[in-house]
């Protein structure tokens, strides 16, 4: 019989160990999955974890994939700490891509230095506007932000699909659902020539640092932390529940919008019907894996970026379905949530004798 | 039957098929929530139910067995959720999200070999004599078995919750787990059962999508219906009768989106497809306007972790 015994104090050690335990368990479960699918474990390991990052290009790709995850997850972890569940970051990302991309297309003939900053602002504004809807509905009529932000994600991806099939479609594009390719003035500068690593990567690190300072060094951060455990106590910090909701959603919306703009102005270079492989959802896992801590999120973002790269490489090398990535990500979050139990409880095997 | 009424019947029939999966998913989640558990994994449970039931019908050809497999798949997912949130006391919100991410991945993986596979759909069962009636016959008495089941399930759940002792226990666990625990009820066990019921219903809802509504397997085919079902429970202020009404309302909107062009609404298809999602938001807002009504009816202990004191 397995029993849970409450610890007198939450274990700090387990707080750090839980993600490691969860990663280990995901690996074991993953290898079992490969065994079932009939893939030799050695080859699977190589395809997932070694080959994708065995050269400079691969490492740069890791940064390309990790950047949006880190930006969004760092912002999400602030809100999650406060018990404000914005799970529509994917939609906010798409709106950022749409708005920023629309600016790029509007200035199609203009090759000026101000085009890119303008696109960034539009991307941020788009993401914030999309996040403002659930914030408004939560603060005025107390409508559940989980459901509203998620519904808006479906609306956003339909809106993108409509735009690239219609108004924003490339006039010379043989009716393909794509916009024109952005000009050089409207694409992100690269950090590492010969790769796709763009300035989004260093900016993502800056965002994580900013979020960390906000969380640990400001009163607002304190209020967010308190709100998760005791909403009534948080009011005594001077920040009302409404303000925290607005801040959490707008901040995530801004970062998700910027991440979306970086995708269309960076690796993609145009608007097409699918501008994200679910970064907004994966960022939720990144936030938890990073312990809802902006610095932890950086490491977690790299791990999850590897899961995307590994998934893509395994599809080519081993003919594995891409869906395996989603299975891995889901399992990781399960194991993490299970391992978190060790923070507050000890596991006792057998019946413990009563005193 | 004249042309106008047959057109009406045809549209009504499609509304019923679109509403049925929502009825199952929402009524199951309603029972789960009434026990105080918020399972946000409905979407993931629906997708696993959809893919495994379709896999079964493809392999065995036995529709009844396939529906059972769909229910079972949903229950396995719910058991996973229950173990994490009820036994290990993990956050219900985070675990529910994990369930949806996991279910989406698993169903896409399992469904890889099922893309393009054809199935003629669940057989219709005409009720003798009654199905011969003009208009009413085809409207009410010529459906597949699951439509009838959905009509029976809703009043059954309503009676169970309101008029039976186990129903009372379930509600008391959802309203105050500490009081229920003090009275000697097994809070965790009741919640496991309610969660499993919800999972089974979601699995059945998914099975209906792949075996009757579509009928085929498409990756991510639930397209947010699990989340709409969650919103329906709020819309219904946790009352079974309103779930039925809400599901048919949404079924109607889904059909409007499919047939919009046919009845002369000239709007791009993507914008029409936004309708169910936008309606969900509007409906949530309207229902939330009356906070008193929501608060009176919401299970008081919903989403809270139960830590037994002794």
């Amino acid at each position: 019989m397995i029993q849970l015994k409450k610890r007198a104090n939450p274990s700090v050690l387990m707080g750090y160990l839980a993600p490691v335990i969860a990663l280990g368990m995901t690996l074991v479960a993953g290898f079992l999955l490969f065994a079932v699918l009939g893939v030799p474990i050695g080859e699977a390991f190589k395809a997932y974890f070694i080959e994708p990052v065995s050269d400079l290009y691969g490492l740069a790709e890791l940064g390309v994939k990790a950047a949006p995850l880190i930006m969004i997850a760092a912002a999400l972890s602030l809100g999650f700490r406060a018990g404000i569940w914005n799970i529509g970051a994917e939609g906010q990302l798409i709106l950022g891509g749409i708005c920023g991309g629309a600016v790029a297309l509007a200035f199609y003939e203009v090759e000026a230095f101000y085009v890119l900053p303008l696109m960034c602002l539009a991307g941020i504004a788009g993401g914030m506007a999309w996040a403002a809807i659930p914030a408004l509905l939560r603060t005025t009529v107390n409508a559940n932000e989980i459901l509203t932000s998620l519904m808006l994600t479906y609306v956003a991806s339909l809106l993108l699909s409509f735009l690239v099939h219609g108004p924003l479609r490339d006039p010379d594009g043989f009716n393909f659902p794509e916009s024109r390719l952005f000009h050089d003035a409207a694409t992100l500068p690269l950090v590492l020539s010969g790769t796709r690593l763009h300035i989004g990567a260093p900016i993502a690190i800056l965002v994580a640092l900013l979020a960390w300072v906000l969380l640990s060094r400001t009163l607002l951060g304190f209020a967010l932390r308190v709100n998760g455990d005791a909403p009534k106590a948080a009011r005594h910090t001077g920040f009302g529940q409404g303000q925290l909701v607005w801040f959490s959603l707008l901040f995530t919306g801004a970062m998700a919008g910027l991440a979306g703009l970086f995708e269309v102005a960076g690796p993609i270079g145009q608007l097409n019907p699918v501008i994200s492989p679910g970064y907004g959802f994966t960022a939720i896992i990144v936030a938890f894996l990073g312990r809802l801590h902006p610095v932890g999120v950086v490491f977690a973002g790299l791990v999850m970026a590897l899961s995307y790269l590994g998934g893509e490489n395994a599809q080519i090398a081993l003919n594995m379905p891409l869906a395996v990535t989603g299975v891995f990500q889901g399992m990781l979050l399960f194991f993490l949530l299970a391992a978190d139990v060790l923070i507050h409880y000890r596991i006792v095997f057998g019946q413990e004798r009563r005193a | 039957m004249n042309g106008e009424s047959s057109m009406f019947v045809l549209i009504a029939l499609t509304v019923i098929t679109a509403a049925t999966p929502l009825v199952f998913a929402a009524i199951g989640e309603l029972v789960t929530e009434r026990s105080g558990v918020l399972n946000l994994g409905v979407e993931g449970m629906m997708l696993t139910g959809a893919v495994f039931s379709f896999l079964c019908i493809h392999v065995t050809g036995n529709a009844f067995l396939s529906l059972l497999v769909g229910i079972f798949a949903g229950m396995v997912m719910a058991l996973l959720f229950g173990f994490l949130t009820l036994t290990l006391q993990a956050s219900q919100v985070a675990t529910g999200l994990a369930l949806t991410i996991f279910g989406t991945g698993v169903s896409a993986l399992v469904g890889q070999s099922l893309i393009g596979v054809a199935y003629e759909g669940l057989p219709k069962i005409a009720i003798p004599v009654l199905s011969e009636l003009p208009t009413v016959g085809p409207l009410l008495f010529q459906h597949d078995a699951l439509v009838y089941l959905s009509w029976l399930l809703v009043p059954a759940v309503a009676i169970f919750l309101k008029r039976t002792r186990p129903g009372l226990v379930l509600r008391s666990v959802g309203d105050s787990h500490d009081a229920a625990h003090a009275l000697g009820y097994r809070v965790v066990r009741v919640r496991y059962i309610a969660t499993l019921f919800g999972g089974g219903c979601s699995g059945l809802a998914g099975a209906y999508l792949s075996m009757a509504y579509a009928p085929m397997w498409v990756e991510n085919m639930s397209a947010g219906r699990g989340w709409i079902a969650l919103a329906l429970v709020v819309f219904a202020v946790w009352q079974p009768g309103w779930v039925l009404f809400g599901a048919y309302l949404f079924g109607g909107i889904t059909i409007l989106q499919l047939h919009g062009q046919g009845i002369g609404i000239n709007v791009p298809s993507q914008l029409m497809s936004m309708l169910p999602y936008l309606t969900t938001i509007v409906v949530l807002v309207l229902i939330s306007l009356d906070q008193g009504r929501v608060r009176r009816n919401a299970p008081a202990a919903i989403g809270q972790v139960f830590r037994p004191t002794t």
Side-chain angles (χ1 to χ4, degrees):
Chain A
M1 174 84 183
I2 303 171
Q3 278 192 320
L4 295 175
K5 287 274 165 206
K6 190 145 179 89
R7 293 177 195 273
N9 294 306
S11 162
V12 178
L13 176 69
M14 280 302 165
Y16 291 108
L17 268 185
V20 181
I21 295 173
L23 280 170
M25 287 168 87
T26 309
L27 274 184
V28 173
F31 288 143
L32 286 177
L33 180 67
F34 288 134
V36 171
L37 293 172
V39 180
I41 286 176
E43 275 180 45
F45 188 82
K46 221 175 93 195
Y48 262 87
F49 302 108
I50 310 295
E51 279 169 9
V53 286
S54 55
D55 54 14
L56 186 66
Y57 186 81
L59 284 171
E61 281 297 294
L62 193 67
V64 171
K65 294 259 187 316
L69 292 174
I70 292 171
M71 280 172 69
I72 301 171
L76 274 180
S77 39
L78 298 191
F80 285 179
R81 282 200 177 221
I84 295 152
W85 300 97
N86 171 16
I87 59 169
E90 180 78 3
Q92 293 143 27
L93 179 151
I94 292 171
L95 252 284
I98 289 175
C99 293
V103 169
L105 296 170
F107 287 84
Y108 186 66
E109 304 293 333
V110 183
E111 293 214 29
F113 70 94
Y114 58 80
V115 174
L116 201 54
L118 209 57
M119 287 164 67
C120 291
L121 287 179
I124 291 174
M128 283 174 94
W130 215 239
I133 302 171
L136 179 75
L137 298 180
R138 165 77 192 268
T139 49
T140 52
V141 299
N142 203 23
N144 183 316
E145 78 278 13
I146 297 177
L147 294 173
T148 51
S149 65
L150 196 92
M151 288 295 125
L152 285 171
T153 298
Y154 288 100
V155 176
S157 77
L158 286 165
L159 182 66
L160 175 63
S161 165
F162 163 70
L163 289 173
V164 294
H165 279 92
L168 298 182
R169 189 174 53 196
D170 182 355
D172 314 315
F174 307 104
N175 274 343
F176 276 108
E178 295 169 343
S179 78
R180 287 170 154 156
L181 280 170
F182 297 165
H183 264 305
D184 286 350
T187 39
L188 292 180
L190 294 176
V191 178
L192 215 58
S193 60
T195 71
R196 301 200 303 168
L197 192 69
H198 52 78
I199 54 159
I203 289 177
I205 304 289
L206 284 179
V207 169
L209 284 175
L210 172 76
W212 179 60
V213 171
L214 253 170
L215 189 67
S216 60
R217 295 281 179 273
T218 67
L219 187 60
L220 175 64
F222 178 70
L224 286 167
R225 280 181 285 149
V226 173
N227 196 57
D229 297 323
K232 278 177 189 151
R235 230 170 280 159
H236 296 288
T237 59
F239 289 97
Q241 174 81 15
Q243 284 171 298
L244 297 179
V245 170
W246 273 106
F247 170 78
S248 304
L249 277 154
L250 288 185
F251 186 48
T252 315
M255 290 307 116
L258 190 59
L261 177 269
F262 283 171
E263 285 308 297
V264 298
I268 303 176
Q270 67 185 142
L271 282 176
N272 63 31
V274 181
I275 60 173
S276 153
Y279 287 137
F281 292 116
T282 306
I284 297 171
I285 306 178
V286 172
F288 280 110
L289 189 64
R291 313 277 72 191
L292 302 185
H293 190 293
V295 178
V297 155
V298 175
F299 295 104
L302 289 169
V303 170
M304 294 311 273
L306 184 59
S307 85
Y308 275 119
L309 286 186
E312 284 172 10
N313 186 57
Q315 189 186 25
I316 300 161
L318 303 173
N319 206 14
M320 294 277 298
L322 203 56
V324 171
T325 309
V327 177
F328 269 139
Q329 294 182 349
M331 280 200 300
L332 178 61
L333 188 48
F334 276 136
F335 285 127
L336 184 69
L337 291 164
D340 271 351
V341 123
L342 297 171
I343 297 175
H344 294 284
Y345 294 89
R346 285 184 300 126
I347 293 183
V348 181
F349 293 95
Q351 202 78 32
E352 222 178 48
R353 248 180 248 150
R354 294 253 166 89
Chain B
M1 209 193 313
N2 61 39
E4 208 166 281
S5 83
S6 82
M7 181 68 191
F8 165 75
V9 168
L10 278 178
I11 290 178
L13 287 180
T14 48
V15 170
I16 291 171
T17 14
T20 301
L22 290 174
V23 175
F24 282 122
I27 201 75
E29 177 67 16
L30 182 138
V31 171
T32 305
E33 290 190 15
R34 285 300 281 266
S35 81
V37 177
L38 177 66
N39 186 351
L40 294 180
V42 179
E43 183 85 2
M45 298 190 294
M46 276 178 85
L47 282 169
T48 27
V51 80
F52 280 105
S53 60
F54 199 77
L55 179 68
C56 182
I57 195 80
H58 176 52
V59 173
T60 68
N62 185 331
F64 182 69
L65 184 69
S66 304
L67 291 175
L68 288 183
V69 165
I71 295 174
F72 185 71
M75 287 174 85
V76 169
M77 293 285 279
L79 188 66
L80 199 60
F81 176 86
F83 178 69
L84 279 160
T85 58
L86 300 173
T87 302
L88 299 184
Q89 306 183 353
S91 148
Q92 292 180 7
V93 172
T95 311
L97 292 176
L99 204 63
T100 288
I101 295 171
F102 183 65
T104 310
V106 166
S107 64
L109 184 61
V110 173
Q112 209 93 38
S113 58
L114 297 173
I115 294 169
V117 171
Y119 171 59
E120 73 273 18
L122 286 179
K124 306 273 187 230
I125 302 169
I127 310 262
V129 186
L130 290 175
S131 61
E132 309 288 320
L133 294 170
T135 311
V136 182
L139 197 57
L140 295 180
F141 302 109
Q142 289 181 19
H143 295 291
D144 52 66
L146 288 188
V147 171
Y148 299 125
L149 180 65
S150 75
W151 290 343
L152 294 176
L153 191 62
V154 173
V157 166
I159 291 167
F160 168 79
L161 286 174
K162 215 154 199 168
R163 300 259 179 265
T164 70
R165 195 165 175 79
L168 179 72
V169 173
L170 186 137
R171 282 189 289 134
S172 70
V173 165
D175 280 328
S176 169
H177 44 222
D178 290 324
H181 178 65
L183 286 171
Y185 295 121
R186 308 284 294 267
V187 171
V188 170
R189 182 184 292 178
V190 169
R191 287 188 170 168
Y192 257 110
I193 294 169
T195 304
L196 286 176
F197 178 80
C201 285
S202 289
L204 191 57
Y208 193 83
L209 280 180
S210 65
M211 291 176 61
Y213 181 77
M216 58 174 157
W217 165 255
V218 184
E219 208 174 301
N220 240 330
M221 70 184 302
S222 54
R225 282 186 184 82
W227 296 100
I228 291 177
L230 277 158
L232 274 178
V233 178
V234 182
F235 167 75
V237 284
W238 294 270
Q239 307 296 328
W242 283 95
V243 160
L244 199 60
F245 173 74
Y248 277 81
L249 182 74
F250 273 88
I253 289 161
T254 316
I255 294 314
L256 185 67
Q257 153 214 325
L258 286 179
H259 298 284
Q261 242 123 16
I263 54 174
I265 304 174
N266 203 7
V267 173
S269 66
Q270 293 98 340
L271 300 187
M272 286 302 278
S273 302
M274 292 177 186
L275 269 179
Y277 310 115
L278 291 174
T279 312
T280 305
I281 296 175
V282 170
V283 154
L284 274 175
V285 167
L286 290 179
I287 217 72
S288 305
L289 283 175
D290 191 352
Q291 274 300 308
R293 182 152 165 265
V294 172
R295 228 169 279 145
R296 269 196 308 282
N297 288 289
I302 192 159
Q304 290 172 14
V305 169
F306 171 65
R307 294 194 176 85
T309 39
T310 46

